[in-house]
Amino acid sequence: MSNSRVVSAVKEADFSETTAWKDFLALIKIGIVNSNFITAFTGLWLAMYFTGTQFLSSIDTMFLTLIGSSLVVAGSCSINNYIDRDIDPLMERTKNRPTVTGRVAPVRALGLGIGFVIFGEIMLFMTTPMAGLIGLFGVFSYVVLYSMWTKRKYASNTIVGSISGAVPPLIGWAAIDPSLGAIPFALFLIMFVWQPPHFYAIAMRRVNEYRAAGVPMLPVVKGFARTKFSMLLWVVALFPLPFLLSELGTAFIVLATVLNIGWLALAIKGYKTKDDHKWATMMFVYSLNYLTIMFTGMVILTFI
């Protein structure tokens, strides 16, 4: 990537609305941290529920797990910002990141990221060694396998990146029950399969930016028609997964199936739409609601 293009893009960035706190939240990608917090908590809660672990006796474990996993995710995202500082200026949605504007020096972003990962891992290992090891695997898959290797080389980068995004429920469960089992891996599969249609929707909305940055996202390499077909296949693949969590009861199966039918209907609608950008936005919003309802529903149904 030429330095002149990067400098030009940085000059066009709008710094007027930024603050130190906003820069920090952008650096750690607070949206990703929050979503992973929800899924890690769900894994933790279900592990307590199915193993009969008392809530009051596990408050310390809950604290260490949720804070530790959040630090690991935040640290990994900060390292990702350090790695992507050369292409972020070329994309509208990333050109105001603090590593681009210069408000946070790259070396500080890297140092913060490494520090967060270390402290987060210490907290996870204080729960169980398995939780700590899974956390390390998540860092490796996001920083090395995705950010440093596949993101700029292969259209399959989204699938590789989905591995790390599916790890938090495993961390949460392993902090209580390191032997794991079928339920936490079902949570992992749901998260893994959910991510490609979610991120392909983002890629469709930002296809020109990814093309300018030289990132081979599926819509850039294969086009919208191929991307829509892939999104449809991934949504279909979600249908059998809730049945792996049949121990949560019929109500959960019904809830998950209704959510899957709604997403499938929207995915099919993509073949009839005349406005791909609007449809991709609808798919993106639905995916966020899907994740929130699905995982909060798992927790709520344990009280019924």
Side-chain angles (χ1 to χ4, degrees), residues 71 88 149 161 248 290 295:
L71 285 175
D88 281 344
W149 179 36
L248 283 173
Y290 179 100
F295 277 79

Side-chain angles (χ1 to χ4, degrees), residues 8-240:
S8 176
V10 171
K11 288 181 178 179
E12 293 176 1
D14 177 16
F15 311 133
S16 60
E17 296 297 325
T18 191
T19 65
W21 179 244
K22 289 182 179 178
D23 284 338
F24 172 73
L25 295 181
L27 187 66
I28 65 172
K29 302 185 181 180
I30 190 61
I32 294 178
V33 174
N34 288 340
S35 62
N36 281 276
F37 181 94
I38 293 173
T39 59
F41 174 78
T42 301
L44 180 82
W45 182 265
L46 292 182
M48 289 194 295
Y49 175 77
F50 284 109
T51 61
T53 303
Q54 295 297 315
F55 174 80
L56 291 179
S57 65
S58 303
I59 290 180
D60 56 339
T61 299
M62 180 177 293
F63 173 83
L64 290 170
T65 304
L66 296 179
I67 301 301
S69 61
S70 294
L71 285 175
V72 167
V73 172
S76 299
C77 288
S78 185
I79 296 172
N80 172 265
N81 276 338
Y82 170 81
I83 295 171
D84 284 349
R85 67 192 186 280
D86 62 327
I87 60 175
D88 281 344
L90 304 175
M91 301 182 64
E92 184 68 26
R93 74 183 185 91
T94 59
K95 70 179 185 180
N96 288 327
R97 284 178 176 170
T99 44
V100 175
T101 64
R103 290 177 63 90
V104 176
V107 68
R108 289 189 177 183
L110 179 61
L112 179 69
I114 294 174
F116 273 13
V117 168
I118 291 174
F119 282 110
E121 280 298 321
I122 290 173
M123 297 179 79
L124 292 181
F125 272 105
M126 289 175 66
T127 61
T128 67
M130 180 61 72
L133 290 173
I134 295 174
L136 286 176
F137 173 73
V139 174
F140 176 78
S141 62
Y142 184 67
V143 173
V144 179
L145 298 183
Y146 172 67
S147 300
M148 297 177 65
W149 179 36
T150 61
K151 181 174 181 178
R152 307 190 191 200
K153 293 183 178 181
Y154 307 106
S156 59
N157 54 15
T158 300
I159 299 173
V160 174
S162 296
I163 298 173
S164 58
V167 162
L170 287 181
I171 294 176
W173 186 286
I176 298 295
D177 177 18
S179 65
L180 298 176
I183 293 177
F185 282 106
L187 297 176
F188 175 89
L189 286 174
I190 290 173
M191 279 301 301
F192 178 79
V193 176
W194 169 85
Q195 287 175 92
H198 169 76
F199 286 108
Y200 287 153
I202 296 175
M204 286 183 66
R205 296 170 65 211
R206 302 288 185 174
V207 63
N208 291 329
E209 297 176 35
Y210 281 114
R211 183 177 291 113
V215 179
M217 299 297 288
L218 190 63
V220 174
V221 177
K222 299 292 185 178
F224 281 5
R226 175 66 173 78
T227 303
K228 289 180 181 181
F229 181 67
S230 292
M231 293 167 78
L232 179 64
L233 291 181
W234 283 106
V235 171
V236 169
L238 281 168
F239 272 76

